[in-house]
Amino acid sequence: MDEIADINPSSNIPDRFYYIDLESVTSGRLTSLKVIEKKDAPSRAQRLVLQNDILYQTVRPYQQNNYLATDEFDLPAVASTGYAQIRTKHNSQFLYSLLHTNRFLQEVLLRCTGSNYPAINSNDLKEITVYFPSCIEQDKIALFMALIDRRIEKQRQLVEALKSYKRGVVEAIFEQKIKLSAKDQSPFSEWKSVPFGSLIEEVSYKTKVENEDILLSAAIEGMFLNTELFDHQRGSSNIGYKKIERGMLVLSTQNLHLGNANVNLRFEHGMVSPAYKTYKITGCIPEFLNLWIKRESTKQFFYNATTVGASICRRNVEWQTLYDQTMLLPSEREQGRIISFIAPIQMMIDAQISVTLKLAELKHELLRELFI
């Protein structure tokens, strides 16, 4: 690849710049920027980014959190050495798309070293053979792929806007600022203060044999999206994992305030790491509790029941404190009305997520068909 691109070209670091580290990019999107003075910069801040440079994630490259520098900034941008900086005289959009093909990824993974944090050396990256068409063909393919990427990004923005709208509506309901119906005279008269612990009952159904025919959830973020069917080909033991059923609550023992809580509303049966606590929901409707858990202000509720753990980055849950804290709970009838009120918004979100996934599948097929 070094015949068609310069990798890690030398550069002079400016006195003040935006720093792009490995946490700054998610799925091709620049999600955060930090302004840093050169004198305070980490030693890894070494790559001065120019327009159309490609930043290729060399640590855990299977995540494919790579970035094509098309944004314009009011300060210079400098990237971490956790990226390989790729600068080509060819069509950078074409090369960027090529770097996301399965074939290229497999070549990268073959050259990775390390188990916990597999990484590829920039010199090994240079040795990977890539196939380039004529400049005219590159431009055509690049334009097509750029259109797909823009369509996916617009779709993602629509999903985020709908989610933001839903959060606002949910927050307004819990803050008792909106009525569910114009006919409601006193819509919040059925709400009362209850201890959080009165709504749940801890259970621990652990697996006892290998390869039980249930879904494995390796993480609880989002809506249990990180799931797969557990079978004998995984090559690792699932004994001791905790089984969960639909409608059960899962809580992390650390950093609960960062969103490490979820109600399983997606699968009839699942499984989580024994590091989590699992609960039956006995005092309210599971869908209602999930709405409450996802509120921004609930993060503070969880934070109030934590203390500093082994490091300042980890906060352990004080369980009795958590159970004793109170929350406002409407009657079951009112909970049902709230769920019904929010349901159409969630249906719109689900429909747009489905469109996003189909576009991602289309892009995957194009990468497979258009690139050798």
Side-chain angles (χ1 to χ4, degrees):
M1 193 169 71
D2 60 340
E3 294 182 11
I4 52 92
D6 291 330
I7 298 181
N8 299 337
S10 59
S11 56
N12 295 318
I13 306 303
D15 293 331
R16 192 166 185 261
F17 54 85
Y18 286 121
Y19 181 45
I20 303 174
D21 60 15
L22 291 176
E23 306 299 320
S24 301
V25 179
T26 303
S27 300
R29 294 181 292 108
L30 194 60
T31 55
S32 65
L33 282 173
K34 306 169 187 175
V35 177
I36 290 183
E37 304 289 338
K38 183 177 181 179
K39 60 183 178 60
D40 301 321
S43 60
R44 293 175 70 87
Q46 296 291 329
R47 318 258 193 249
L48 179 62
V49 181
L50 301 184
Q51 197 80 1
N52 294 319
D53 279 358
I54 298 169
L55 300 180
Y56 189 83
Q57 180 184 5
T58 57
V59 181
R60 289 181 288 192
Y62 53 83
Q63 294 178 334
Q64 295 196 311
N65 290 327
N66 309 313
Y67 175 63
L68 175 58
T70 56
D71 299 284
E72 293 185 5
F73 308 118
D74 54 352
L75 287 175
V78 175
S80 163
T81 53
Y83 296 104
Q85 182 181 12
I86 302 173
R87 185 174 296 161
T88 179
K89 294 180 180 178
H90 291 260
N91 190 301
S92 57
Q93 176 68 55
F94 175 86
L95 180 56
Y96 180 73
S97 298
L98 185 151
L99 298 179
H100 288 82
T101 60
N102 281 337
R103 177 193 171 277
F104 188 84
L105 179 59
Q106 291 306 313
E107 292 291 335
V108 168
L109 294 178
L110 286 173
R111 293 165 172 81
C112 282
T113 58
S115 54
N116 293 333
Y117 297 96
I120 183 171
N121 184 282
S122 294
N123 290 327
D124 292 331
L125 191 66
K126 293 179 182 179
E127 301 301 318
I128 298 177
T129 300
V130 293
Y131 297 90
F132 261 55
S134 67
C135 291
I136 294 176
E137 197 71 15
Q138 287 180 48
D139 292 343
K140 289 180 179 179
I141 294 174
L143 177 61
F144 195 50
M145 296 307 299
L147 289 173
I148 292 292
D149 283 340
R150 282 199 289 271
R151 180 67 180 87
I152 291 173
E153 177 60 18
K154 290 291 185 184
Q155 191 64 31
R156 185 197 67 79
Q157 291 173 3
L158 175 59
V159 170
E160 288 304 311
L162 285 170
K163 286 182 176 180
S164 178
Y165 173 68
K166 178 188 171 183
R167 286 193 296 269
V169 172
V170 170
E171 201 65 28
I173 291 173
F174 278 97
E175 291 181 359
Q176 304 184 354
K177 292 180 178 178
I178 62 172
K179 297 179 179 180
L180 302 182
S181 168
K183 298 178 180 179
D184 287 340
Q185 298 299 317
S186 180
F188 306 114
S189 60
E190 302 177 33
W191 294 56
K192 60 181 180 179
S193 181
V194 299
F196 178 68
S198 69
L199 307 180
I200 56 179
E201 175 189 342
E202 185 176 1
V203 293
S204 183
Y205 306 132
K206 291 188 177 181
T207 54
K208 297 180 179 179
V209 297
E210 292 281 1
N211 309 319
E212 295 195 37
D213 188 21
I214 58 179
L215 285 168
L216 167 68
S217 175
I220 60 170
E221 57 188 331
M223 292 299 293
F224 291 90
L225 291 177
N226 295 327
T227 58
E228 56 187 306
L229 203 57
F230 194 100
D231 58 39
H232 66 281
Q233 295 179 348
R234 284 187 57 81
S236 60
S237 173
N238 62 296
I239 292 178
Y241 274 69
K242 292 182 179 179
K243 300 179 186 179
I244 55 172
E245 299 172 351
R246 191 183 187 281
M248 285 181 61
L249 171 67
V250 182
L251 299 178
S252 173
T253 59
Q254 290 184 335
N255 291 343
L256 195 55
H257 61 292
L258 297 181
N260 297 328
N262 207 16
V263 178
N264 173 28
L265 299 175
R266 185 173 177 184
F267 302 111
E268 289 301 317
H269 302 285
M271 189 161 54
V272 295
S273 162
Y276 297 119
K277 282 181 174 283
T278 52
Y279 302 83
K280 285 184 177 179
I281 300 172
T282 57
C284 66
I285 301 174
E287 288 81 356
F288 174 84
L289 188 62
N290 196 56
L291 287 175
W292 179 81
I293 282 175
K294 300 305 180 185
R295 294 178 65 205
E296 188 66 27
S297 56
T298 301
K299 293 180 180 179
Q300 186 63 45
F301 180 93
F302 286 140
Y303 184 86
N304 293 339
T306 61
T307 57
V308 175
S311 72
I312 59 174
C313 297
R314 297 181 181 177
R315 296 190 67 89
N316 296 329
V317 180
E318 294 288 333
W319 294 104
Q320 195 55 52
T321 303
L322 176 64
Y323 301 149
D324 290 342
Q325 288 192 125
T326 59
M327 58 175 283
L328 282 176
L329 181 73
S331 67
E332 189 168 307
R333 182 187 76 90
E334 192 74 1
Q335 292 174 42
R337 293 183 65 207
I338 291 171
I339 294 166
S340 297
F341 190 80
I342 296 297
I345 304 174
Q346 186 59 52
M347 288 176 64
M348 286 191 290
I349 293 173
D350 292 342
Q352 297 305 323
I353 288 176
S354 179
V355 173
T356 306
L357 292 174
K358 288 178 181 177
L359 286 169
E361 290 174 5
L362 173 61
K363 178 181 177 180
H364 179 77
E365 286 300 311
L366 289 171
L367 288 172
R368 187 171 63 85
E369 296 293 335
L370 293 177
F371 294 85
I372 298 176

